[in-house]
Amino acid sequence: MVATTTLLRRIHQFLPQYSRHRLIVQRSAAVVTWRNCQTLAAPSPDGNSKEYSEKIVSLVDNISQLTLLEVSDLNELLKVRLNISDTPMAVAAMPQGVPAAQEPVEEEEVQTEFSVKLMKFDDASKVKLIKEIKALIDGMNLVQAKKYVESLPQVVKKSIPKEEAEQLKKTLEAVGATVVIE
């Protein structure tokens, strides 16, 4: 059935998009039949319906009576005669004359998010630092804060604005810690 749907998509490529047809597929015989339900002509700018030549109308009628295998053969033959490749249309529609390589514009990256890293602390102010870390980090108890402070270096907060990082650094340095903003 996958091959059938692929071929049906290809059939739609050959039919005018302004015509509406009903497709009947008989699975056992793999025969596709087209029946015209209602042919809608593309509207013209002046409001009159478009008239097609007899040659075009007979060609559409003949194509609509083909079986699925015949449509597949027609598709292959048209590709050979018209020298059409199987490349997608988006690739074929690339504009010509575009320079092959343009020099990338170098932009200065401005750091907007910072991390505050606790590097070391004064042993005399260890208790104050543990209490401050407990207050700064949500969900941390005293035991966790003690283990956190003793296993330095540690990132206290990351992805914060510069002003908040500077304020946090001042707070931690006030209780005897050595802090680096990255």
Side-chain angles (χ1 to χ4, degrees):
M1 193 65 185
V2 173
T4 305
T5 55
T6 304
L7 289 173
L8 292 177
R9 286 186 193 132
R10 289 184 179 176
I11 291 170
H12 287 285
Q13 292 174 350
F14 294 109
L15 292 176
Q17 293 182 0
Y18 46 81
S19 294
R20 186 172 291 183
H21 296 275
R22 181 175 28 173
L23 179 67
I24 300 172
V25 179
Q26 297 172 351
R27 292 183 189 188
S28 60
V31 175
V32 176
T33 332
W34 290 88
R35 290 193 184 151
N36 291 331
C37 295
Q38 178 182 17
T39 303
L40 302 173
S44 62
D46 57 359
N48 298 332
S49 61
K50 184 173 180 178
E51 297 289 327
Y52 297 101
S53 69
E54 187 62 35
K55 181 179 177 181
I56 299 295
V57 171
S58 67
L59 183 62
V60 169
D61 288 339
N62 289 337
I63 290 175
S64 64
Q65 294 174 1
L66 295 176
T67 65
L68 190 59
L69 294 174
E70 291 171 333
V71 170
S72 175
D73 292 340
L74 175 65
N75 183 26
E76 291 174 17
L77 182 60
L78 283 173
K79 283 182 181 180
V80 170
R81 284 254 176 101
L82 300 175
N83 196 18
I84 299 174
S85 63
D86 283 333
T87 59
M89 292 304 289
V91 174
M94 288 181 51
Q96 301 296 325
V98 175
Q102 296 179 354
E103 292 183 25
V105 178
E106 293 184 23
E107 296 180 14
E108 286 187 32
E109 290 187 26
V110 179
Q111 186 175 1
T112 58
E113 295 182 342
F114 298 87
S115 296
V116 177
K117 192 172 192 178
L118 181 61
M119 300 302 287
K120 57 183 177 177
F121 61 92
D122 183 24
D123 287 333
S125 61
K126 181 177 179 181
V127 174
K128 291 179 188 175
L129 181 61
I130 291 172
K131 288 181 180 179
E132 191 63 37
I133 292 292
K134 179 187 174 288
L136 289 173
I137 300 175
D138 295 332
M140 188 173 281
N141 62 32
L142 280 174
V143 175
Q144 291 171 330
K146 180 180 182 272
K147 289 180 182 178
Y148 184 86
V149 168
E150 291 174 346
S151 62
L152 295 181
Q154 289 283 348
V155 175
V156 179
K157 286 198 176 182
K158 59 183 175 181
S159 301
I160 58 174
K162 185 174 185 175
E163 296 81 25
E164 188 179 339
E166 292 291 337
Q167 182 64 35
L168 186 58
K169 180 180 179 181
K170 288 179 186 177
T171 304
L172 291 174
E173 286 177 343
V175 292
T178 304
V179 180
V180 175
I181 296 177
E182 298 177 336

